[in-house]
Short mmCIF file of all heavy atoms in Angstrom, two decimals:
data_model
loop_
_atom_site.label_atom_id
_atom_site.label_comp_id
_atom_site.label_asym_id
_atom_site.label_seq_id
_atom_site.Cartn_x
_atom_site.Cartn_y
_atom_site.Cartn_z
N LEU A 253 15.41 0.27 9.15
CA LEU A 253 15.10 1.45 8.35
C LEU A 253 13.77 2.07 8.73
O LEU A 253 13.66 3.31 8.84
CB LEU A 253 15.10 1.08 6.87
CG LEU A 253 16.45 0.69 6.24
CD1 LEU A 253 16.27 0.44 4.74
CD2 LEU A 253 17.50 1.77 6.46
N MET A 254 12.76 1.26 8.95
CA MET A 254 11.43 1.80 9.27
C MET A 254 11.42 2.49 10.64
O MET A 254 10.75 3.50 10.82
CB MET A 254 10.37 0.71 9.19
CG MET A 254 10.08 0.24 7.77
SD MET A 254 9.71 1.58 6.61
CE MET A 254 8.27 2.34 7.38
N ASP A 255 12.15 1.93 11.59
CA ASP A 255 12.22 2.59 12.90
C ASP A 255 13.00 3.91 12.80
O ASP A 255 12.67 4.88 13.48
CB ASP A 255 12.88 1.66 13.92
CG ASP A 255 11.95 0.56 14.39
OD1 ASP A 255 10.74 0.59 14.02
OD2 ASP A 255 12.40 -0.36 15.10
N TRP A 256 14.03 3.93 11.97
CA TRP A 256 14.78 5.18 11.76
C TRP A 256 13.85 6.22 11.12
O TRP A 256 13.85 7.39 11.51
CB TRP A 256 15.98 4.92 10.86
CG TRP A 256 16.96 6.06 10.83
CD1 TRP A 256 16.86 7.22 10.12
CD2 TRP A 256 18.19 6.16 11.57
NE1 TRP A 256 17.94 8.03 10.35
CE2 TRP A 256 18.77 7.41 11.24
CE3 TRP A 256 18.86 5.31 12.46
CZ2 TRP A 256 20.00 7.83 11.77
CZ3 TRP A 256 20.06 5.73 13.00
CH2 TRP A 256 20.62 6.96 12.66
N TYR A 257 13.07 5.78 10.15
CA TYR A 257 12.09 6.65 9.48
C TYR A 257 11.14 7.29 10.50
O TYR A 257 10.89 8.50 10.45
CB TYR A 257 11.32 5.80 8.47
CG TYR A 257 10.13 6.44 7.81
CD1 TYR A 257 10.24 7.08 6.58
CD2 TYR A 257 8.86 6.38 8.39
CE1 TYR A 257 9.14 7.65 5.96
CE2 TYR A 257 7.76 6.95 7.78
CZ TYR A 257 7.90 7.58 6.56
OH TYR A 257 6.80 8.14 5.95
N GLU A 258 10.65 6.51 11.40
CA GLU A 258 9.69 7.03 12.40
C GLU A 258 10.37 7.91 13.44
O GLU A 258 9.84 8.94 13.84
CB GLU A 258 8.97 5.87 13.10
CG GLU A 258 8.07 5.05 12.19
CD GLU A 258 6.88 5.83 11.65
OE1 GLU A 258 6.57 6.91 12.18
OE2 GLU A 258 6.27 5.36 10.67
N LYS A 259 11.57 7.53 13.85
CA LYS A 259 12.24 8.23 14.95
C LYS A 259 12.81 9.57 14.54
O LYS A 259 12.78 10.55 15.30
CB LYS A 259 13.34 7.34 15.52
CG LYS A 259 14.05 7.96 16.73
CD LYS A 259 15.06 6.99 17.32
CE LYS A 259 15.76 7.59 18.54
NZ LYS A 259 16.75 6.64 19.13
N TYR A 260 13.34 9.65 13.30
CA TYR A 260 14.11 10.82 12.91
C TYR A 260 13.46 11.68 11.83
O TYR A 260 14.08 12.62 11.34
CB TYR A 260 15.51 10.40 12.46
CG TYR A 260 16.35 9.82 13.57
CD1 TYR A 260 16.60 8.44 13.62
CD2 TYR A 260 16.86 10.62 14.59
CE1 TYR A 260 17.35 7.89 14.65
CE2 TYR A 260 17.62 10.08 15.62
CZ TYR A 260 17.86 8.72 15.64
OH TYR A 260 18.60 8.18 16.66
N ARG A 261 12.22 11.38 11.47
CA ARG A 261 11.55 12.21 10.48
C ARG A 261 11.33 13.62 11.01
O ARG A 261 11.29 14.59 10.25
CB ARG A 261 10.21 11.56 10.09
CG ARG A 261 9.71 11.97 8.74
CD ARG A 261 8.61 11.05 8.24
NE ARG A 261 7.37 11.17 9.01
CZ ARG A 261 6.88 10.23 9.80
NH1 ARG A 261 7.52 9.08 9.92
NH2 ARG A 261 5.76 10.40 10.47
N GLY A 262 11.18 13.74 12.31
CA GLY A 262 11.15 15.05 12.96
C GLY A 262 10.00 15.93 12.50
O GLY A 262 8.84 15.52 12.48
N SER A 263 10.35 17.15 12.06
CA SER A 263 9.33 18.12 11.66
C SER A 263 8.79 17.84 10.26
O SER A 263 7.82 18.48 9.84
CB SER A 263 9.92 19.54 11.69
OG SER A 263 11.00 19.64 10.77
N CYS A 264 9.42 16.93 9.54
CA CYS A 264 8.99 16.63 8.17
C CYS A 264 7.91 15.55 8.17
O CYS A 264 7.89 14.65 9.01
CB CYS A 264 10.18 16.16 7.33
SG CYS A 264 11.47 17.43 7.16
N LYS A 265 7.02 15.64 7.19
CA LYS A 265 5.92 14.67 7.11
C LYS A 265 6.32 13.41 6.37
O LYS A 265 5.73 12.34 6.58
CB LYS A 265 4.72 15.32 6.42
CG LYS A 265 4.13 16.48 7.19
CD LYS A 265 2.97 17.13 6.42
CE LYS A 265 2.41 18.31 7.18
NZ LYS A 265 1.34 19.00 6.41
N PHE A 266 7.32 13.51 5.49
CA PHE A 266 7.68 12.39 4.63
C PHE A 266 9.20 12.22 4.62
O PHE A 266 9.94 13.17 4.88
CB PHE A 266 7.16 12.63 3.20
CG PHE A 266 5.76 13.17 3.17
CD1 PHE A 266 5.50 14.48 2.78
CD2 PHE A 266 4.70 12.38 3.58
CE1 PHE A 266 4.21 14.99 2.79
CE2 PHE A 266 3.40 12.87 3.59
CZ PHE A 266 3.16 14.18 3.20
N ALA A 267 9.65 11.00 4.31
CA ALA A 267 11.09 10.75 4.30
C ALA A 267 11.43 9.62 3.34
O ALA A 267 10.60 8.75 3.06
CB ALA A 267 11.59 10.42 5.70
#
Side-chain angles (χ1 to χ4, degrees):
L253 292 183
M254 289 308 301
D255 284 353
W256 193 281
Y257 171 94
E258 294 295 344
K259 183 175 181 180
Y260 294 106
R261 204 165 68 248
S263 62
C264 297
K265 296 177 182 177
F266 317 110

